[in-house]
Amino acid sequence: MQPLDAHEFASARPLFTAATYARSFPFAVLDGHHAGSVTVDAEPPTAALVALMAGFHVFGGDPANAAFLREAAAQTVRRSADEYVLFLPLAQSWRAPLEAALDGYGAFWAERLEFTLDPGAVAAHGDWRARLPSGGRLLPYDRGLTASAPGVADFWGGGEDGIDRFLAHGLGCALLLDGEAVCRAHTVFVGDGIAETSIETEEPHRRRGYALTTTLAYLEWCSARSLRPSWSCWAHNAASQALAAAVGFAGPVAVPVLVVKKGGAGG
């Protein structure tokens, strides 16, 4: 196993082109936008593991490379400080190899859902500006709004460099009332031109339509930046699914995730 330096990530990129869902996850790291690491089997690589700061781990390349899968999976579980270690298969063909690599760890399958934007459904909402509450302002992220958004700077590399990287390659917007950001929409990470989306409304301001308004503005600005918004969530997150449908995201496609609970069998 060989960890790659950031300037070497490009050598692993072809191993992930077959991804049939969640493409933004590995490519966010490979494109240098999201904080993470890349480990390969050899040079030139035939298999690779991308580990995201967001907690997901994605294998690419040859799923028949059982020795690399076993070693990389075991090392990931051993080193992870998270209670749950998440392995995202590149496609359905990776399910059996991943299960074999994690045999003895008490791994179990969970499910995420991935939605695809329907531009026609979004357009039917009309101009988001007409939806702004009295006294409300919807502003694109500047340096201050980026720094105050939980996790954004860290996910994009940490500190001032993370903020710089986000402002260069991602985007976000916030609905402000009396100077307070009450709802936010931003790119968690961007990979292969796909923007993984996060929406959050402060508890006292929920159920007022602010998330819909903020998301519509975010989608407009994604289009202006030639980014393809993606929306995904855990299958049990009914609120996220309802908002996705209300905004105009169609689907979903089921995305399996193999989970190892630290402290469980083999963990």
Side-chain angles (χ1 to χ4, degrees):
M1 286 178 39
Q2 298 176 224
L4 297 182
D5 293 330
H7 70 275
E8 299 174 310
F9 285 1
S11 67
R13 210 174 189 281
L15 303 178
F16 293 85
T17 55
T20 57
Y21 41 64
R23 288 183 66 88
S24 62
F25 285 62
F27 283 104
V29 174
L30 294 168
D31 291 347
H33 300 158
H34 186 81
S37 63
V38 180
T39 304
V40 298
D41 60 336
E43 282 293 346
T46 64
L49 173 64
V50 171
L52 289 81
M53 177 76 172
F56 291 91
H57 303 83
V58 190
F59 281 102
D62 183 5
N65 191 335
F68 174 74
L69 263 64
R70 282 196 306 270
E71 185 178 357
Q75 187 176 101
T76 297
V77 173
R78 185 169 60 250
R79 292 180 176 178
S80 177
D82 297 327
E83 181 181 3
Y84 294 95
V85 189
L86 311 175
F87 292 90
L88 184 65
L90 187 71
Q92 291 293 333
S93 60
W94 280 81
R95 292 188 61 139
L98 269 179
E99 285 182 333
L102 289 164
D103 184 39
Y105 284 87
F108 60 92
W109 287 103
E111 186 175 81
R112 289 179 62 82
L113 301 175
E114 182 174 276
F115 298 82
T116 302
L117 186 64
D118 179 350
V122 173
H125 288 289
D127 190 344
W128 57 265
R129 295 163 185 83
R131 296 175 172 271
L132 286 173
S134 177
R137 296 186 301 154
L138 227 164
L139 301 179
Y141 274 21
D142 57 11
R143 198 167 198 86
L145 284 171
T146 302
S148 64
V152 170
D154 288 340
F155 281 4
W156 285 74
E160 295 300 317
D161 287 344
I163 294 174
D164 289 339
R165 194 173 290 115
F166 172 85
L167 292 172
H169 302 289
L171 63 87
C173 59
L175 175 60
L176 275 65
L177 292 176
D178 297 323
E180 175 192 0
V182 300
C183 185
R184 294 172 178 269
H186 58 247
T187 51
V188 182
F189 43 77
V190 174
D192 201 32
I194 304 168
E196 182 66 20
T197 300
S198 173
I199 313 293
E200 184 62 38
T201 307
E202 296 298 321
E203 178 61 43
H205 300 278
R206 293 178 183 175
R207 293 170 290 280
R208 300 182 186 180
Y210 295 167
L212 176 59
T213 302
T214 306
T215 305
L216 291 172
Y218 164 84
L219 295 176
E220 179 182 297
W221 292 336
C222 278
S223 178
R225 287 275 298 275
S226 298
L227 292 175
R228 290 171 288 154
S230 178
W231 189 298
S232 64
C233 63
W234 293 103
H236 59 74
N237 191 340
S240 182
Q241 294 170 50
L243 179 57
V247 170
F249 282 84
V253 172
V255 178
V257 181
L258 193 57
V259 183
V260 173
K261 185 178 187 302
K262 293 280 283 186

